[in-house]
Amino acid sequence: VVNQIVYGGGDIITTAILAALFSTLIAITFGSIAATVGGRLDQLILAITDVALTIPQLILLIVIAAIFRPSSFFALAVILALLQWPALLRQIRAQVLSLKERDFVEAARSLDLGLLHIIFREMLPNMRSYIVIHFIIAMTLAIYAQAAIMFLGLVPLSGKNWAIMLYFAYNQGALFFKDSFFYLMGPIMAIALFQLSLVWLASGLEDVFNVLSVRDLSIDYRTRRGPVQAVRDVTFDLEQGETIAIIGESGSGKTTLAVGLIRLSPRSARVTKGEIRYDDGKRAFDVLSLDAERLRRFRWADCAMVFQAALSAFNPVITIWEQFLDTGRAHGMGDKHKVHDRTRELLDLVHLDPKRVLTAYPHELSGGMRQRVLIAMALLLDPRIVILDEPTTALDILTQRAIIDLLRELRGRLGFSTIFISHDLSIAAELADRMLTMYAGRVVERASVDDLFYRPRHPYSVGLMRAVPRVSGALGSVVSIPGSPPDLIRLPRGCSYYPRCPFHVERCLEEDPPLLQVDTPDHEAACIRWEAVAAALGSDAEAPVAEKLA
């Protein structure tokens, strides 16, 4: 039995690898082409994908296997691949739609590098985590599918593998052994352990791709009235080179979360639970467990922050050059000349004249210049993560545009990951890959930019969208969200958004729902009425929310 288990893993694992490879290639090719070409071709591919997703895969597999009776593992792999591609294709298409508007893709297009070069050299490397993790998940599903159809005897049973052992153990076990227990349990344990190992592998790879992982983070403020639950059970992952935008009203917990990530919260704040795990591929640690010296090294070198009020972030009585020098020396850059060269390089990158800026005091610079200097200072030690806490607040609209263009340019050049805190949804949409909506200290919706702007599934996200004035298209009214945010000391019973929600029912008063998967695996909303929200928005996925609910 042991010999057959060891030998029998070869064919079934090889078939699973081939099936995962074929399905991944199909999804990447057609998903990328659909999003890049667009038009009727995109609509056709998306329609075929939607139809494929509605058909129960296991039932279809059983029917196909019964009709064609695949006689080789290669043929079986092809059949399995044809059933596994739809879910990944949708994810690839959504990612490409987001990436195709980026500056580096526009630059490649302007150089006429060709469609295949843009897809495979510019876009796909930025989607490696989705692709690799899907590949592993597809392998697990392929093994289960093989076990099912072979156990039912729907393919020619030749040779030895785990699924064939299960068939004979169950149907003809008495012919081989007086007691077929080990012949049955052996392949079951082999399949279960191999599947578990694949899950561990996927989890490990996800940690490799995620430079920052936040799990169940909660932060309270101590006040005379009692603890203020400023951040509640926040969980998210930040991948290398990715930008996550966190949006919400004032008081929703955005800035508390931002400063909490690098432990800069005031003394009245305390982390009540959770984990903040940093991993740059060389070092991995929980930020909450760092002592004072290690925490000082983590700040600015690994994770830097651009604060909301640039003037308040500078010492008013020393020059800009002295502040760059102090920052460099505090983090081990003892050579004054190296600090000076790096400072000049960064000021050039943010389009400022080093001669003019370095000798100036903060008050001698305009608001836009101070914000650029602060961004340059944040990049002094080449951090892997940059947290931007409303960096365009109080700037005029032209300066805001210049800062946003600068941030996109710098991220494209330097490859750092970004957490962007903002109440300005239009600016957040321009910078972000994914968005988190926060309300009353917790994340109530997590989605890609396109999903959140065109297909929001939490009533609060819908309210935020409707409150944004439109500067183009049809005229429409701007509708504010009724009421006000709840008292964080005494949160309402059930869903905290219940008193302001136009979709609420009595059940909402009884339970505070967790994040629930809605339309796609990467879209979650903490609302039991998300289907009612979707129905109210209608089926036009390209129309802005304000138009749909006008």
Side-chain angles (χ1 to χ4, degrees), residues 14-27:
T14 301
T15 304
I17 292 173
L18 288 174
L21 179 62
F22 294 157
S23 68
T24 302
L25 289 176
I26 291 171

Side-chain angles (χ1 to χ4, degrees), residues 437-440 442-447 451-452 455-466 481 495-498 500-503 508 512-516 518-519 523-534 537 545 549:
T437 303
M438 287 192 70
Y439 183 76
R442 65 172 298 205
V443 174
V444 295
E445 187 160 10
R446 177 164 48 211
D451 279 341
L452 197 70
R455 294 168 292 277
R457 294 297 181 251
H458 194 283
Y460 180 60
S461 298
V462 174
L464 291 176
M465 301 300 166
R466 296 191 69 191
I481 301 175
C495 175
S496 55
Y497 191 60
Y498 172 91
R500 310 174 71 187
C501 180
F503 295 92
C508 300
D512 190 12
L515 285 169
L516 308 170
V518 290
D519 299 319
H523 191 174
E524 297 175 309
C527 181
I528 61 173
R529 298 275 291 157
W530 69 267
E531 291 174 314
V533 176
L537 294 178
V545 169
L549 297 182

Side-chain angles (χ1 to χ4, degrees), residues 98 245 247 420 424-433 435 449 453:
S98 175
I247 61 173
F420 185 78
D424 191 321
L425 276 66
S426 59
I427 291 178
E430 289 198 50
L431 282 175
D433 301 298
M435 301 183 74
V449 172
F453 268 78

Side-chain angles (χ1 to χ4, degrees), residues 146-350:
Q146 289 179 78
I149 62 175
M150 290 181 182
F151 181 75
L152 295 174
L154 297 178
V155 297
L157 302 174
S158 59
K160 278 287 182 287
N161 68 50
W162 297 335
I164 292 174
M165 289 177 68
L166 284 175
Y167 174 82
F168 282 112
Y170 184 77
N171 293 283
Q172 303 178 27
L175 298 178
F176 297 97
F177 297 101
K178 182 179 179 180
D179 185 355
S180 60
F181 175 80
F182 293 106
Y183 204 73
L184 181 66
M185 292 304 299
I188 289 176
M189 293 299 297
I191 291 174
L193 290 173
F194 187 73
Q195 299 288 70
L196 184 60
S197 71
L198 289 178
V199 172
W200 282 341
L201 178 60
S203 177
L205 288 174
E206 188 175 14
D207 288 341
V208 170
F209 293 126
N210 295 331
V211 67
L212 189 72
S213 293
V214 179
R215 293 290 179 270
D216 299 320
L217 184 65
S218 297
I219 302 175
D220 288 358
Y221 286 103
R222 296 186 299 273
T223 69
R224 293 180 179 178
R225 294 177 55 209
V228 175
Q229 304 174 55
V231 172
R232 297 185 291 145
D233 301 315
V234 170
T235 294
F236 67 91
D237 293 314
L238 177 68
E239 296 181 9
Q240 179 59 39
E242 180 186 35
T243 294
I244 290 179
I246 303 177
I247 61 173
E249 296 171 287
S250 296
S252 59
K254 306 185 304 296
T255 297
T256 298
L257 174 61
V259 297
L261 294 177
I262 53 176
R263 290 173 56 186
L264 277 177
S265 305
R267 292 184 179 181
S268 60
R270 62 187 181 93
V271 175
T272 57
K273 68 173 182 176
E275 180 183 62
I276 306 170
R277 188 160 187 81
Y278 174 85
D279 188 346
D280 62 2
K282 299 177 182 177
R283 297 169 300 128
F285 49 81
D286 183 2
V287 176
L288 298 178
S289 67
L290 298 180
D291 58 29
E293 178 58 28
R294 293 176 64 199
L295 181 61
R296 186 185 64 82
R297 293 199 300 267
F298 168 73
R299 294 171 181 159
W300 231 258
D302 296 317
C303 183
M305 187 163 182
V306 176
F307 296 92
Q308 180 174 345
L311 184 59
S312 301
F314 289 109
N315 187 327
V317 296
I318 62 176
T319 64
I320 298 298
W321 159 239
E322 290 177 290
Q323 302 194 46
F324 271 93
L325 183 60
D326 285 348
T327 303
R329 284 176 172 171
H331 292 276
M333 297 179 68
D335 190 330
K336 181 178 179 179
H337 298 291
K338 287 185 178 180
V339 178
H340 189 266
D341 291 343
R342 175 64 174 165
T343 300
R344 292 181 64 90
E345 176 189 355
L346 289 171
L347 291 176
D348 284 333
L349 277 178
V350 299

